[in-house]
Amino acid sequence: MYKFSPSLMCMDLSRFKEQVEVLNDKADFYHVDIMDGHFVKNITLSPFFIQELKKITDVPIDAHLMVTNPADFVEMTIDAGADYISLHAETINGNAFRLINQIKEKGKKFGVVLNPATPLESIRHYIQHVDKLTIMTVDPGFAGQKFVEEMIGKIKEAKELKERNGYKYLITIDGSCNKNTFKKLVEAGAEVLIVGSSGLFGLDEDVNIAWDKMMDTFHLEVKDISQV
């Protein structure tokens, strides 16, 4: 069964509580982007946002740290209530094992994120510790970018590695998960789809209706794939 993770940077923040209460009965995860304006040229949500979100949901929260110095953010993100701490491979190879231990010792799940140009090979020394492997299918930083087709091969590689070695990570896709890509992503091996403006929130002002539209489209697109 495939899982869906709304990207909350794309929600209508003026209707934060209303939309979260609708999504609580539908979402498998919440995806919370934390950007520092340096690793990517944008600033979005924060550990404080997670703290407030945690007050109104039991849905697992995946904190995606798009930051240059993740060690500065990990502890406060854990304390805020995130369940998964997802770090960019490009930022952690100097202290990856220290950060993994810090996350796991607090009972949290460790996620790693790969930019489109970053190969799976870059995480081979700690891939066995990964609970959630997020493959970016757009360059990170801003919503609405063009899907990078070359990432289909990376998703297939991640699936093959997982099956061959018995790894437990969830293959998660971040970027342009929508009606144009659902089928190719699922066929390649995607397990968790992070849905933002084009996949969910932009489909209708009423997030309940938007969710139903998304699911109708998803099942129509993947109806011939046996796992669904």
Side-chain angles (χ1 to χ4, degrees):
M1 189 69 179
Y2 298 96
K3 298 181 184 297
F4 293 86
S5 181
S7 178
L8 298 189
M9 69 174 276
C10 299
M11 73 187 303
D12 182 349
L13 289 173
S14 71
R15 300 162 61 202
F16 167 72
K17 187 171 185 290
E18 171 195 340
Q19 293 197 337
V20 169
E21 287 176 345
V22 171
L23 292 171
N24 279 344
D25 293 328
K26 304 175 183 296
D28 298 290
F29 302 94
Y30 285 132
H31 185 82
V32 177
D33 288 305
I34 297 175
M35 305 181 189
D36 62 358
H38 187 267
F39 179 69
V40 291
K41 299 299 181 183
N42 196 5
I43 296 174
T44 51
L45 306 177
S46 68
F48 175 73
F49 178 88
I50 294 173
Q51 180 180 312
E52 295 304 298
L53 176 62
K54 198 71 176 177
K55 294 176 182 178
I56 57 173
T57 192
D58 293 320
V59 174
I61 298 168
D62 179 17
H64 177 186
L65 301 188
M66 297 190 199
V67 299
T68 300
N69 297 304
D72 294 341
F73 289 82
V74 167
E75 194 71 24
M76 70 176 78
T77 305
I78 290 171
D79 290 344
D83 301 283
Y84 288 78
I85 312 295
S86 292
L87 311 178
H88 269 267
E90 301 86 6
T91 70
I92 67 170
N93 283 347
N95 57 353
F97 288 94
R98 188 179 306 116
L99 290 169
I100 292 167
N101 290 337
Q102 181 182 1
I103 291 166
K104 300 231 174 196
E105 284 171 0
K106 290 294 182 74
K108 305 298 183 177
K109 302 287 189 180
F110 167 62
V112 69
V113 187
L114 300 176
N115 281 344
T118 303
L120 278 165
E121 172 67 17
S122 68
I123 64 170
R124 71 184 178 93
H125 292 298
Y126 57 85
I127 192 170
Q128 70 273 18
H129 300 294
V130 176
D131 299 299
K132 205 164 187 284
L133 171 61
T134 299
I135 295 173
M136 299 290 300
T137 54
V138 299
D139 284 330
F142 295 89
Q145 296 185 76
K146 185 179 178 182
F147 183 82
V148 179
E149 292 286 344
E150 290 84 351
M151 294 305 97
I152 295 299
K154 187 188 288 187
I155 298 166
K156 291 178 178 178
E157 182 184 358
K159 180 183 179 182
E160 192 275 331
L161 271 174
K162 177 178 179 176
E163 292 177 347
R164 186 175 74 227
N165 296 288
Y167 295 144
K168 303 300 183 184
Y169 54 72
L170 287 168
I171 301 173
T172 302
I173 309 304
D174 189 359
S176 292
C177 293
N178 56 43
K179 65 180 181 179
N180 299 318
T181 60
F182 283 150
K183 185 174 183 179
K184 66 179 76 175
L185 292 172
V186 167
E187 287 178 332
E191 297 168 315
V192 180
L193 301 173
I194 296 169
V195 285
S197 299
S198 64
L200 174 61
F201 292 104
L203 301 182
D204 197 278
E205 289 186 4
D206 184 327
V207 73
N208 197 34
I209 294 173
W211 186 275
D212 289 343
K213 286 182 176 180
M214 177 188 73
M215 294 306 298
D216 286 346
T217 299
F218 177 79
H219 287 295
L220 181 64
E221 291 296 320
V222 304
K223 63 183 178 181
D224 298 325
I225 301 174
S226 60
Q227 300 101 306
V228 175

mmCIF file of all heavy atoms in Angstrom, residues 2 135-137 147-149 151-153 155-156 159 171-195 218 221-222 225 227:
data_model
loop_
_atom_site.group_PDB
_atom_site.id
_atom_site.type_symbol
_atom_site.label_atom_id
_atom_site.label_comp_id
_atom_site.label_asym_id
_atom_site.label_seq_id
_atom_site.Cartn_x
_atom_site.Cartn_y
_atom_site.Cartn_z
ATOM 1 N N TYR A 2 0.605 2.159 -0.895
ATOM 2 C CA TYR A 2 1.415 3.363 -1.003
ATOM 3 C C TYR A 2 0.991 4.396 0.030
ATOM 4 O O TYR A 2 -0.152 4.441 0.452
ATOM 5 C CB TYR A 2 1.324 3.914 -2.433
ATOM 6 C CG TYR A 2 1.870 2.901 -3.399
ATOM 7 C CD1 TYR A 2 1.026 2.027 -4.059
ATOM 8 C CD2 TYR A 2 3.240 2.759 -3.568
ATOM 9 C CE1 TYR A 2 1.528 1.053 -4.898
ATOM 10 C CE2 TYR A 2 3.760 1.784 -4.405
ATOM 11 C CZ TYR A 2 2.901 0.930 -5.070
ATOM 12 O OH TYR A 2 3.414 -0.045 -5.881
ATOM 13 N N ILE A 135 14.378 10.637 -2.177
ATOM 14 C CA ILE A 135 15.023 10.984 -3.438
ATOM 15 C C ILE A 135 14.358 12.238 -3.984
ATOM 16 O O ILE A 135 13.150 12.246 -4.249
ATOM 17 C CB ILE A 135 14.923 9.822 -4.440
ATOM 18 C CG1 ILE A 135 15.723 8.619 -3.913
ATOM 19 C CG2 ILE A 135 15.409 10.243 -5.825
ATOM 20 C CD1 ILE A 135 15.558 7.355 -4.726
ATOM 21 N N MET A 136 15.138 13.304 -4.095
ATOM 22 C CA MET A 136 14.630 14.544 -4.675
ATOM 23 C C MET A 136 14.527 14.376 -6.191
ATOM 24 O O MET A 136 15.500 13.977 -6.838
ATOM 25 C CB MET A 136 15.556 15.719 -4.351
ATOM 26 C CG MET A 136 15.732 16.030 -2.874
ATOM 27 S SD MET A 136 14.260 16.729 -2.093
ATOM 28 C CE MET A 136 14.006 18.238 -3.041
ATOM 29 N N THR A 137 13.367 14.696 -6.734
ATOM 30 C CA THR A 137 13.187 14.626 -8.186
ATOM 31 C C THR A 137 13.126 16.019 -8.803
ATOM 32 O O THR A 137 12.800 16.173 -9.979
ATOM 33 C CB THR A 137 11.913 13.833 -8.537
ATOM 34 O OG1 THR A 137 10.798 14.407 -7.843
ATOM 35 C CG2 THR A 137 12.064 12.371 -8.136
ATOM 36 N N PHE A 147 10.115 18.232 -13.113
ATOM 37 C CA PHE A 147 10.532 16.884 -12.727
ATOM 38 C C PHE A 147 11.792 16.474 -13.488
ATOM 39 O O PHE A 147 11.892 16.642 -14.702
ATOM 40 C CB PHE A 147 9.388 15.915 -13.043
ATOM 41 C CG PHE A 147 9.636 14.491 -12.650
ATOM 42 C CD1 PHE A 147 9.429 14.074 -11.351
ATOM 43 C CD2 PHE A 147 10.068 13.556 -13.585
ATOM 44 C CE1 PHE A 147 9.642 12.752 -10.991
ATOM 45 C CE2 PHE A 147 10.276 12.243 -13.232
ATOM 46 C CZ PHE A 147 10.063 11.837 -11.929
ATOM 47 N N VAL A 148 12.760 15.927 -12.755
ATOM 48 C CA VAL A 148 14.013 15.465 -13.361
ATOM 49 C C VAL A 148 13.861 13.984 -13.719
ATOM 50 O O VAL A 148 13.900 13.110 -12.849
ATOM 51 C CB VAL A 148 15.205 15.673 -12.391
ATOM 52 C CG1 VAL A 148 16.500 15.168 -13.025
ATOM 53 C CG2 VAL A 148 15.340 17.142 -12.005
ATOM 54 N N GLU A 149 13.680 13.705 -14.979
ATOM 55 C CA GLU A 149 13.379 12.347 -15.440
ATOM 56 C C GLU A 149 14.459 11.336 -15.086
ATOM 57 O O GLU A 149 14.175 10.148 -14.878
ATOM 58 C CB GLU A 149 13.159 12.337 -16.961
ATOM 59 C CG GLU A 149 11.904 13.054 -17.424
ATOM 60 C CD GLU A 149 10.629 12.275 -17.125
ATOM 61 O OE1 GLU A 149 10.723 11.057 -16.846
ATOM 62 O OE2 GLU A 149 9.546 12.882 -17.189
ATOM 63 N N MET A 151 15.803 10.745 -12.484
ATOM 64 C CA MET A 151 15.667 10.178 -11.144
ATOM 65 C C MET A 151 14.913 8.851 -11.130
ATOM 66 O O MET A 151 14.986 8.114 -10.150
ATOM 67 C CB MET A 151 14.977 11.177 -10.213
ATOM 68 C CG MET A 151 15.786 12.426 -9.931
ATOM 69 S SD MET A 151 17.445 12.051 -9.265
ATOM 70 C CE MET A 151 18.462 12.135 -10.760
ATOM 71 N N ILE A 152 14.222 8.527 -12.208
ATOM 72 C CA ILE A 152 13.547 7.232 -12.276
ATOM 73 C C ILE A 152 14.564 6.103 -12.127
ATOM 74 O O ILE A 152 14.330 5.117 -11.417
ATOM 75 C CB ILE A 152 12.759 7.093 -13.594
ATOM 76 C CG1 ILE A 152 11.612 8.121 -13.639
ATOM 77 C CG2 ILE A 152 12.223 5.681 -13.756
ATOM 78 C CD1 ILE A 152 10.590 7.971 -12.538
ATOM 79 N N GLY A 153 15.707 6.250 -12.753
ATOM 80 C CA GLY A 153 16.756 5.242 -12.636
ATOM 81 C C GLY A 153 17.283 5.136 -11.216
ATOM 82 O O GLY A 153 17.590 4.037 -10.734
ATOM 83 N N ILE A 155 15.569 5.770 -8.459
ATOM 84 C CA ILE A 155 14.531 5.105 -7.667
ATOM 85 C C ILE A 155 14.603 3.596 -7.874
ATOM 86 O O ILE A 155 14.529 2.815 -6.913
ATOM 87 C CB ILE A 155 13.135 5.642 -8.038
ATOM 88 C CG1 ILE A 155 13.033 7.133 -7.723
ATOM 89 C CG2 ILE A 155 12.044 4.869 -7.295
ATOM 90 C CD1 ILE A 155 11.835 7.809 -8.356
ATOM 91 N N LYS A 156 14.757 3.178 -9.110
ATOM 92 C CA LYS A 156 14.883 1.741 -9.401
ATOM 93 C C LYS A 156 16.109 1.147 -8.708
ATOM 94 O O LYS A 156 16.066 0.030 -8.177
ATOM 95 C CB LYS A 156 14.966 1.526 -10.913
ATOM 96 C CG LYS A 156 13.676 1.820 -11.663
ATOM 97 C CD LYS A 156 13.851 1.632 -13.163
ATOM 98 C CE LYS A 156 12.553 1.886 -13.910
ATOM 99 N NZ LYS A 156 12.718 1.763 -15.382
ATOM 100 N N LYS A 159 15.386 0.707 -5.018
ATOM 101 C CA LYS A 159 14.518 -0.453 -4.801
ATOM 102 C C LYS A 159 15.312 -1.750 -4.897
ATOM 103 O O LYS A 159 15.163 -2.656 -4.069
ATOM 104 C CB LYS A 159 13.381 -0.454 -5.818
ATOM 105 C CG LYS A 159 12.430 -1.633 -5.672
ATOM 106 C CD LYS A 159 11.356 -1.632 -6.748
ATOM 107 C CE LYS A 159 10.425 -2.832 -6.599
ATOM 108 N NZ LYS A 159 9.400 -2.875 -7.686
ATOM 109 N N ILE A 171 11.199 4.111 0.543
ATOM 110 C CA ILE A 171 11.628 4.882 -0.620
ATOM 111 C C ILE A 171 10.622 6.016 -0.826
ATOM 112 O O ILE A 171 9.470 5.797 -1.188
ATOM 113 C CB ILE A 171 11.725 4.000 -1.872
ATOM 114 C CG1 ILE A 171 12.720 2.861 -1.636
ATOM 115 C CG2 ILE A 171 12.136 4.839 -3.080
ATOM 116 C CD1 ILE A 171 12.763 1.830 -2.751
ATOM 117 N N THR A 172 11.090 7.227 -0.566
ATOM 118 C CA THR A 172 10.239 8.407 -0.516
ATOM 119 C C THR A 172 10.640 9.367 -1.632
ATOM 120 O O THR A 172 11.828 9.549 -1.897
ATOM 121 C CB THR A 172 10.389 9.090 0.855
ATOM 122 O OG1 THR A 172 10.042 8.158 1.881
ATOM 123 C CG2 THR A 172 9.508 10.320 0.975
ATOM 124 N N ILE A 173 9.649 9.974 -2.263
ATOM 125 C CA ILE A 173 9.917 10.867 -3.385
ATOM 126 C C ILE A 173 9.456 12.272 -3.048
ATOM 127 O O ILE A 173 8.325 12.487 -2.620
ATOM 128 C CB ILE A 173 9.196 10.387 -4.666
ATOM 129 C CG1 ILE A 173 9.482 8.902 -4.930
ATOM 130 C CG2 ILE A 173 9.595 11.260 -5.848
ATOM 131 C CD1 ILE A 173 10.939 8.532 -5.038
ATOM 132 N N ASP A 174 10.348 13.236 -3.283
ATOM 133 C CA ASP A 174 10.061 14.640 -2.999
ATOM 134 C C ASP A 174 10.281 15.463 -4.264
ATOM 135 O O ASP A 174 11.402 15.597 -4.735
ATOM 136 C CB ASP A 174 10.982 15.144 -1.872
ATOM 137 C CG ASP A 174 10.590 16.523 -1.381
ATOM 138 O OD1 ASP A 174 9.635 17.109 -1.913
ATOM 139 O OD2 ASP A 174 11.253 17.010 -0.439
ATOM 140 N N GLY A 175 9.178 15.974 -4.801
ATOM 141 C CA GLY A 175 9.281 16.841 -5.966
ATOM 142 C C GLY A 175 8.401 16.395 -7.115
ATOM 143 O O GLY A 175 8.577 15.310 -7.662
ATOM 144 N N SER A 176 7.412 17.216 -7.464
ATOM 145 C CA SER A 176 6.537 16.971 -8.613
ATOM 146 C C SER A 176 5.834 15.618 -8.566
ATOM 147 O O SER A 176 5.715 14.937 -9.581
ATOM 148 C CB SER A 176 7.323 17.091 -9.927
ATOM 149 O OG SER A 176 7.719 18.421 -10.155
ATOM 150 N N CYS A 177 5.365 15.227 -7.390
ATOM 151 C CA CYS A 177 4.524 14.030 -7.294
ATOM 152 C C CYS A 177 3.095 14.458 -7.612
ATOM 153 O O CYS A 177 2.436 15.121 -6.798
ATOM 154 C CB CYS A 177 4.589 13.430 -5.888
ATOM 155 S SG CYS A 177 6.195 12.756 -5.438
ATOM 156 N N ASN A 178 2.624 14.105 -8.797
ATOM 157 C CA ASN A 178 1.313 14.552 -9.244
ATOM 158 C C ASN A 178 0.797 13.637 -10.353
ATOM 159 O O ASN A 178 1.396 12.587 -10.617
ATOM 160 C CB ASN A 178 1.376 16.015 -9.712
ATOM 161 C CG ASN A 178 2.419 16.238 -10.800
ATOM 162 O OD1 ASN A 178 2.549 15.441 -11.725
ATOM 163 N ND2 ASN A 178 3.181 17.315 -10.677
ATOM 164 N N LYS A 179 -0.286 14.036 -10.989
ATOM 165 C CA LYS A 179 -0.932 13.186 -11.997
ATOM 166 C C LYS A 179 0.000 12.832 -13.154
ATOM 167 O O LYS A 179 -0.181 11.800 -13.810
ATOM 168 C CB LYS A 179 -2.186 13.871 -12.534
ATOM 169 C CG LYS A 179 -1.925 15.154 -13.299
ATOM 170 C CD LYS A 179 -3.216 15.779 -13.798
ATOM 171 C CE LYS A 179 -2.942 17.060 -14.587
ATOM 172 N NZ LYS A 179 -4.194 17.661 -15.096
ATOM 173 N N ASN A 180 0.995 13.665 -13.410
ATOM 174 C CA ASN A 180 1.904 13.418 -14.522
ATOM 175 C C ASN A 180 3.004 12.425 -14.180
ATOM 176 O O ASN A 180 3.666 11.912 -15.091
ATOM 177 C CB ASN A 180 2.539 14.733 -14.977
ATOM 178 C CG ASN A 180 1.513 15.732 -15.466
ATOM 179 O OD1 ASN A 180 0.577 15.373 -16.181
ATOM 180 N ND2 ASN A 180 1.683 16.988 -15.086
ATOM 181 N N THR A 181 3.205 12.165 -12.889
ATOM 182 C CA THR A 181 4.345 11.331 -12.484
ATOM 183 C C THR A 181 3.965 10.135 -11.617
ATOM 184 O O THR A 181 4.803 9.261 -11.393
ATOM 185 C CB THR A 181 5.378 12.181 -11.707
ATOM 186 O OG1 THR A 181 4.760 12.732 -10.534
ATOM 187 C CG2 THR A 181 5.922 13.313 -12.571
ATOM 188 N N PHE A 182 2.741 10.092 -11.084
ATOM 189 C CA PHE A 182 2.370 9.021 -10.162
ATOM 190 C C PHE A 182 2.738 7.642 -10.707
ATOM 191 O O PHE A 182 3.353 6.829 -10.019
ATOM 192 C CB PHE A 182 0.869 9.050 -9.863
ATOM 193 C CG PHE A 182 0.432 10.116 -8.899
ATOM 194 C CD1 PHE A 182 -0.835 10.680 -8.995
ATOM 195 C CD2 PHE A 182 1.258 10.558 -7.875
ATOM 196 C CE1 PHE A 182 -1.258 11.656 -8.103
ATOM 197 C CE2 PHE A 182 0.853 11.532 -6.974
ATOM 198 C CZ PHE A 182 -0.411 12.084 -7.093
ATOM 199 N N LYS A 183 2.339 7.376 -11.936
ATOM 200 C CA LYS A 183 2.534 6.033 -12.487
ATOM 201 C C LYS A 183 4.005 5.671 -12.608
ATOM 202 O O LYS A 183 4.434 4.598 -12.175
ATOM 203 C CB LYS A 183 1.845 5.900 -13.844
ATOM 204 C CG LYS A 183 1.910 4.483 -14.405
ATOM 205 C CD LYS A 183 1.102 4.335 -15.680
ATOM 206 C CE LYS A 183 1.134 2.899 -16.178
ATOM 207 N NZ LYS A 183 0.326 2.724 -17.412
ATOM 208 N N LYS A 184 4.806 6.561 -13.177
ATOM 209 C CA LYS A 184 6.227 6.244 -13.377
ATOM 210 C C LYS A 184 6.959 6.102 -12.043
ATOM 211 O O LYS A 184 7.867 5.275 -11.916
ATOM 212 C CB LYS A 184 6.891 7.283 -14.275
ATOM 213 C CG LYS A 184 6.992 8.670 -13.719
ATOM 214 C CD LYS A 184 7.687 9.635 -14.691
ATOM 215 C CE LYS A 184 6.778 10.039 -15.813
ATOM 216 N NZ LYS A 184 7.396 11.071 -16.686
ATOM 217 N N LEU A 185 6.554 6.886 -11.041
ATOM 218 C CA LEU A 185 7.191 6.788 -9.726
ATOM 219 C C LEU A 185 6.885 5.454 -9.057
ATOM 220 O O LEU A 185 7.773 4.792 -8.509
ATOM 221 C CB LEU A 185 6.733 7.939 -8.832
ATOM 222 C CG LEU A 185 7.214 9.338 -9.227
ATOM 223 C CD1 LEU A 185 6.527 10.398 -8.379
ATOM 224 C CD2 LEU A 185 8.727 9.449 -9.111
ATOM 225 N N VAL A 186 5.622 5.052 -9.094
ATOM 226 C CA VAL A 186 5.219 3.784 -8.477
ATOM 227 C C VAL A 186 5.849 2.606 -9.214
ATOM 228 O O VAL A 186 6.338 1.658 -8.585
ATOM 229 C CB VAL A 186 3.682 3.682 -8.449
ATOM 230 C CG1 VAL A 186 3.238 2.275 -8.106
ATOM 231 C CG2 VAL A 186 3.103 4.672 -7.444
ATOM 232 N N GLU A 187 5.859 2.658 -10.523
ATOM 233 C CA GLU A 187 6.479 1.579 -11.297
ATOM 234 C C GLU A 187 7.963 1.449 -10.984
ATOM 235 O O GLU A 187 8.517 0.336 -10.981
ATOM 236 C CB GLU A 187 6.276 1.828 -12.790
ATOM 237 C CG GLU A 187 4.862 1.589 -13.270
ATOM 238 C CD GLU A 187 4.679 1.878 -14.741
ATOM 239 O OE1 GLU A 187 5.417 2.725 -15.293
ATOM 240 O OE2 GLU A 187 3.783 1.268 -15.354
ATOM 241 N N ALA A 188 8.628 2.568 -10.698
ATOM 242 C CA ALA A 188 10.068 2.541 -10.409
ATOM 243 C C ALA A 188 10.373 2.007 -9.022
ATOM 244 O O ALA A 188 11.474 1.517 -8.770
ATOM 245 C CB ALA A 188 10.655 3.936 -10.571
ATOM 246 N N GLY A 189 9.400 2.116 -8.095
ATOM 247 C CA GLY A 189 9.635 1.592 -6.749
ATOM 248 C C GLY A 189 9.315 2.546 -5.620
ATOM 249 O O GLY A 189 9.603 2.245 -4.453
ATOM 250 N N ALA A 190 8.716 3.686 -5.918
ATOM 251 C CA ALA A 190 8.361 4.645 -4.860
ATOM 252 C C ALA A 190 7.353 4.030 -3.894
ATOM 253 O O ALA A 190 6.443 3.315 -4.309
ATOM 254 C CB ALA A 190 7.780 5.911 -5.482
ATOM 255 N N GLU A 191 7.524 4.340 -2.605
ATOM 256 C CA GLU A 191 6.623 3.842 -1.564
ATOM 257 C C GLU A 191 5.889 4.963 -0.833
ATOM 258 O O GLU A 191 4.772 4.786 -0.363
ATOM 259 C CB GLU A 191 7.411 3.005 -0.554
ATOM 260 C CG GLU A 191 8.024 1.763 -1.176
ATOM 261 C CD GLU A 191 9.036 1.092 -0.273
ATOM 262 O OE1 GLU A 191 9.889 1.796 0.313
ATOM 263 O OE2 GLU A 191 8.987 -0.146 -0.153
ATOM 264 N N VAL A 192 6.539 6.119 -0.710
ATOM 265 C CA VAL A 192 5.927 7.281 -0.069
ATOM 266 C C VAL A 192 6.020 8.453 -1.038
ATOM 267 O O VAL A 192 7.100 8.761 -1.544
ATOM 268 C CB VAL A 192 6.639 7.658 1.246
ATOM 269 C CG1 VAL A 192 5.968 8.877 1.886
ATOM 270 C CG2 VAL A 192 6.659 6.489 2.207
ATOM 271 N N LEU A 193 4.894 9.094 -1.307
ATOM 272 C CA LEU A 193 4.848 10.227 -2.216
ATOM 273 C C LEU A 193 4.588 11.500 -1.418
ATOM 274 O O LEU A 193 3.572 11.605 -0.717
ATOM 275 C CB LEU A 193 3.754 10.027 -3.260
ATOM 276 C CG LEU A 193 3.886 8.769 -4.128
ATOM 277 C CD1 LEU A 193 2.653 8.584 -4.999
ATOM 278 C CD2 LEU A 193 5.143 8.818 -4.986
ATOM 279 N N ILE A 194 5.514 12.440 -1.498
ATOM 280 C CA ILE A 194 5.339 13.733 -0.853
ATOM 281 C C ILE A 194 4.566 14.622 -1.829
ATOM 282 O O ILE A 194 5.021 14.880 -2.949
ATOM 283 C CB ILE A 194 6.694 14.359 -0.490
ATOM 284 C CG1 ILE A 194 7.401 13.475 0.555
ATOM 285 C CG2 ILE A 194 6.522 15.780 0.039
ATOM 286 C CD1 ILE A 194 8.844 13.846 0.804
ATOM 287 N N VAL A 195 3.390 15.055 -1.415
ATOM 288 C CA VAL A 195 2.513 15.796 -2.317
ATOM 289 C C VAL A 195 2.389 17.248 -1.855
ATOM 290 O O VAL A 195 2.148 17.522 -0.683
ATOM 291 C CB VAL A 195 1.123 15.133 -2.423
ATOM 292 C CG1 VAL A 195 1.211 13.870 -3.277
ATOM 293 C CG2 VAL A 195 0.535 14.785 -1.055
ATOM 294 N N PHE A 218 -4.711 9.261 -8.661
ATOM 295 C CA PHE A 218 -3.679 8.267 -8.378
ATOM 296 C C PHE A 218 -4.145 6.866 -8.762
ATOM 297 O O PHE A 218 -3.445 6.131 -9.465
ATOM 298 C CB PHE A 218 -3.304 8.308 -6.894
ATOM 299 C CG PHE A 218 -2.297 7.267 -6.498
ATOM 300 C CD1 PHE A 218 -0.957 7.446 -6.769
ATOM 301 C CD2 PHE A 218 -2.695 6.093 -5.858
ATOM 302 C CE1 PHE A 218 -0.015 6.484 -6.414
ATOM 303 C CE2 PHE A 218 -1.762 5.128 -5.499
ATOM 304 C CZ PHE A 218 -0.426 5.329 -5.780
ATOM 305 N N GLU A 221 -4.348 6.367 -12.475
ATOM 306 C CA GLU A 221 -3.040 6.272 -13.126
ATOM 307 C C GLU A 221 -2.348 4.941 -12.858
ATOM 308 O O GLU A 221 -1.631 4.422 -13.712
ATOM 309 C CB GLU A 221 -2.140 7.427 -12.659
ATOM 310 C CG GLU A 221 -2.567 8.793 -13.141
ATOM 311 C CD GLU A 221 -2.492 8.936 -14.643
ATOM 312 O OE1 GLU A 221 -1.531 8.424 -15.248
ATOM 313 O OE2 GLU A 221 -3.409 9.551 -15.218
ATOM 314 N N VAL A 222 -2.531 4.390 -11.675
ATOM 315 C CA VAL A 222 -1.775 3.188 -11.294
ATOM 316 C C VAL A 222 -2.643 1.930 -11.251
ATOM 317 O O VAL A 222 -2.235 0.919 -10.693
ATOM 318 C CB VAL A 222 -1.064 3.382 -9.932
ATOM 319 C CG1 VAL A 222 -0.164 4.600 -9.968
ATOM 320 C CG2 VAL A 222 -2.061 3.511 -8.800
ATOM 321 N N ILE A 225 -1.134 -1.497 -11.906
ATOM 322 C CA ILE A 225 0.027 -1.941 -11.134
ATOM 323 C C ILE A 225 -0.464 -2.803 -9.985
ATOM 324 O O ILE A 225 -1.248 -2.375 -9.155
ATOM 325 C CB ILE A 225 0.833 -0.742 -10.629
ATOM 326 C CG1 ILE A 225 1.292 0.092 -11.841
ATOM 327 C CG2 ILE A 225 2.039 -1.191 -9.818
ATOM 328 C CD1 ILE A 225 1.987 1.377 -11.468
ATOM 329 N N GLN A 227 0.516 -3.911 -7.091
ATOM 330 C CA GLN A 227 0.688 -3.700 -5.658
ATOM 331 C C GLN A 227 -0.387 -2.807 -5.070
ATOM 332 O O GLN A 227 -0.580 -2.779 -3.862
ATOM 333 C CB GLN A 227 2.055 -3.051 -5.372
ATOM 334 C CG GLN A 227 3.233 -3.890 -5.836
ATOM 335 C CD GLN A 227 3.772 -3.350 -7.158
ATOM 336 O OE1 GLN A 227 3.038 -3.190 -8.112
ATOM 337 N NE2 GLN A 227 5.057 -3.063 -7.187
#
